[in-house]
């Protein structure tokens, strides 16, 4: 009987294919910044799901003070919104951790809150199930970042969906 060897992908291979990596690669032209961005992308590639528990969100704390990285992630998230229905090509993990990173950064805080507000409006208007993921982001982080409380209230319509 022939031996069957099953091999998986490395974090680097997974990271290369992630939607956020592709978007970041198209934005970041500076080699030094790309090194930091690539480490961020490889780290996210290790995660098997979007953030759920507070400790998942806290994985982004170490990146939140790096204004260049935060700015790159902010730029990558522009125009990159979750589809209304499930789309296997959309990088839910990368997007969710990008939102978690922005939610914990003080860099351009007013602009970030405006972005999150606009994203929330889109979820509500389009009735996108991703609104529950965004709602969870606010509920987990509002204690450390009280300015997210209004967004949590705005997204409260996703509370029941979130409990499923």
């Amino acid at each position: 009987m022939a031996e069957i060897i099953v091999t998986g992908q490395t974090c680097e291979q997974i990271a290369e294919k992630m939607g956020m990596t592709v978007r970041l690669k198209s934005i970041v032209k500076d080699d030094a910044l790309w090194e930091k961005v690539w480490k961020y992308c490889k780290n996210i590639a290790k995660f098997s799901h979007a953030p759920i528990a507070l400790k998942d969100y806290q994985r982004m704390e170490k990146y939140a003070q790096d204004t260049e990285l935060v700015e790159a992630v902010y730029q990558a998230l522009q125009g990159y919104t979750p589809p209304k229905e499930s789309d296997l090509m959309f990088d839910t993990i990368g997007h969710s951790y990008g939102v978690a990173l922005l939610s914990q950064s003080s860099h351009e805080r007013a602009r970030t809150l405006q972005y999150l507000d606009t994203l929330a409006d889109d979820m509500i208007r389009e009735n996108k199930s991703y609104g529950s993921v965004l709602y969870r982001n606010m509920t987990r982080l509002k204690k450390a970042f009280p300015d997210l409380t209004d967004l949590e209230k705005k997204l409260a319509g996703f509370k029941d969906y979130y409990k499923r």
Side-chain angles (χ1 to χ4, degrees):
M1 180 177 260
E3 183 176 324
I4 298 174
I5 300 173
V6 178
T7 59
Q9 295 182 26
T10 66
C11 282
E12 287 84 3
Q13 291 168 323
I14 293 168
E16 286 175 3
K17 297 175 186 174
M18 291 178 1
M20 279 299 290
T21 303
V22 172
R23 293 183 70 83
L24 285 162
K25 192 177 269 189
S26 72
I27 293 167
V28 177
K29 304 301 180 200
D30 178 72
D31 289 339
L33 176 55
W34 177 249
E35 283 184 43
K36 292 191 283 186
V37 169
W38 180 236
K39 286 179 186 176
Y40 167 80
C41 292
K42 287 190 300 185
N43 188 36
I44 290 175
K46 296 175 187 175
F47 309 144
S48 60
H49 57 77
I52 297 171
L54 180 59
K55 66 180 174 74
D56 297 335
Y57 288 95
Q58 291 170 335
R59 293 170 172 166
M60 296 296 99
E61 285 179 342
K62 64 184 173 184
Y63 301 110
Q65 300 307 315
D66 187 331
T67 58
E68 289 181 313
L69 175 63
V70 171
E71 184 63 28
V73 170
Y74 174 82
Q75 295 301 323
L77 287 172
Q78 300 309 297
Y80 190 50
T81 59
K84 186 172 184 177
E85 300 299 325
S86 177
D87 177 355
L88 297 177
M89 298 307 292
F90 181 74
D91 180 9
T92 303
I93 295 170
H95 188 275
S96 299
Y97 275 101
V99 168
L101 171 61
L102 293 182
S103 297
Q104 296 175 74
S105 175
S106 60
H107 175 68
E108 298 283 342
R109 190 65 179 173
R111 181 185 70 174
T112 294
L113 292 172
Q114 180 59 50
Y115 164 74
L116 294 172
D117 189 62
T118 301
L119 184 59
D121 286 343
D122 181 50
M123 299 300 113
I124 294 165
R125 182 179 53 259
E126 299 294 326
N127 193 26
K128 294 182 180 180
S129 61
Y130 188 82
S132 63
V133 176
L134 194 56
Y135 173 75
R136 181 175 60 222
N137 182 84
M138 305 314 161
T139 62
R140 296 294 188 259
L141 294 172
K142 72 178 180 182
K143 185 174 182 182
F145 303 93
D147 55 0
L148 298 176
T149 302
D150 287 342
L151 287 164
E152 178 197 30
K153 291 175 184 173
K154 182 178 224 176
L155 292 160
F158 292 100
K159 187 177 190 174
D160 291 336
Y161 182 84
Y162 166 70
K163 290 183 179 181
R164 291 181 191 175

